[in-house]
Amino acid sequence: MKKIVILISGRGSNMEAILETARRDQWDSRVVAVISNRPDAKGLETAARYGIPTAVVPSRSYPERASFDAALQQEIDRHAPDLVVLAGFMRILTSGFVEHYAGRLLNIHPSLLPAFPGLDTHARALATGVRFHGATVHFVTAELDVGPIVDQAVVPVLPEDTEESLAARVLEQEHIIYPRAVRDVAEGRLRIVQGRVLPYTSDR
Ligand code: NHR
Ligand code: GAR
């Protein structure tokens, strides 16, 4: 049984998709804790409804990134997780933190990386006039939003789209690809080879 810790900052709909899928499909892996850097994150209540232990490590209370990351790492490691999942987690993490979880730290980013790393991805997609947009699940590395890609989903950008309508279309796909990716990584079905994510196969 693999142990998963989920980090959130807000609504937690991706977290809920993972909890719901894990329960429905009776995963062998288990979400052992949900941790937020914001005390007011709505996702904390959702996690509690699923009976998952929650904790807050308030980033506002730490003047330095390194001291926040150290406190967060300590809280995470109480659970000795096999996998740490960022789900709408809004704080850039220090290289020391990222290296501590190398190969077991996942993120979902709301764009088709390498397009639109960073924030405000839907507004930037609309402003750029791309015809397709989407979401990317990737391993987290020290450099922002460039880690090895686990999966992507594509959605069309429609002429009448607003930031909200586009975000909603992307989010629907996030809720499909993220639970699947989390399960595949937790259950050891994927490996990183020269910066690319490959399935384990019997013939290679
Ligand atoms: N940390 C590292 N080192 N590497 C990555 O790839 C990371 C990461 C931390 C978070 C998620 C990412 C996203 O999917 C993520 C990937 C926050 C920011 C940001 O600018 C950017 C990208 C992501 C998450 N955060 C501001 C900061 O100064 C704060 C913004 C806020 O609090 O609202 O940390 O998009
Ligand atoms: C999701 O769209 C996720 O991809 C994005 O924020 C939303 C969180 O929603 N993540 C980031 O922008 C990370 N910087 P959720 O809290 O309902 O899962």
Side-chain angles (χ1 to χ4, degrees):
M1 195 264 311
K2 294 298 171 65
K3 294 191 282 181
I4 302 167
V5 167
I6 302 182
L7 306 186
I8 63 170
S9 297
R11 180 177 54 189
S13 72
N14 276 292
M15 170 206 76
E16 184 168 14
I18 292 164
L19 294 176
E20 193 57 41
T21 307
R23 186 159 75 182
R24 185 194 65 203
D25 296 346
Q26 301 185 358
W27 288 7
D28 208 22
S29 313
R30 209 155 52 85
V31 177
V32 293
V34 170
I35 303 171
S36 172
N37 69 306
R38 298 184 54 118
D40 58 349
K42 293 297 290 174
L44 289 169
E45 295 157 37
T46 311
R49 270 198 277 112
Y50 279 79
I52 311 295
T54 62
V56 176
V57 180
S59 46
R60 284 238 175 92
S61 309
Y62 296 85
E64 312 274 345
R65 279 185 194 273
S67 57
F68 167 68
D69 282 12
L72 182 61
Q73 182 175 319
Q74 190 170 43
E75 183 60 36
I76 294 169
D77 286 349
R78 295 200 309 118
H79 303 280
D82 301 285
L83 179 61
V84 178
V85 171
L86 308 184
F89 185 73
M90 296 309 290
R91 293 279 304 189
I92 295 173
L93 297 160
T94 56
S95 56
F97 180 98
V98 170
E99 273 149 31
H100 178 72
Y101 299 106
R104 52 190 181 116
L105 184 56
L106 278 182
N107 179 45
I108 188 154
H109 179 76
S111 79
L112 291 173
L113 291 172
F116 312 121
L119 302 177
D120 289 321
T121 56
H122 307 304
R124 287 155 64 207
L126 288 174
T128 307
V130 294
R131 296 311 195 254
F132 295 94
H133 185 45
T136 303
V137 178
H138 66 94
F139 282 99
V140 173
T141 57
E143 203 183 334
L144 192 64
D145 293 332
V146 303
I149 292 173
V150 177
D151 200 6
Q152 294 187 303
V154 182
V155 305
V157 180
L158 304 179
E160 64 274 20
D161 265 332
T162 61
E163 213 179 311
E164 290 70 32
S165 65
L166 183 55
R169 192 175 306 121
V170 171
L171 191 65
E172 192 180 325
Q173 296 303 312
E174 294 184 36
H175 295 165
I176 296 169
I177 66 172
Y178 210 13
R180 190 168 64 205
V182 167
R183 186 181 193 177
D184 282 343
V185 172
E187 295 184 0
R189 276 192 281 281
L190 304 173
R191 59 182 173 154
I192 302 172
V193 181
Q194 292 170 339
R196 294 193 307 159
V197 178
L198 301 177
Y200 278 107
T201 54
S202 49
D203 58 0
R204 264 183 300 160

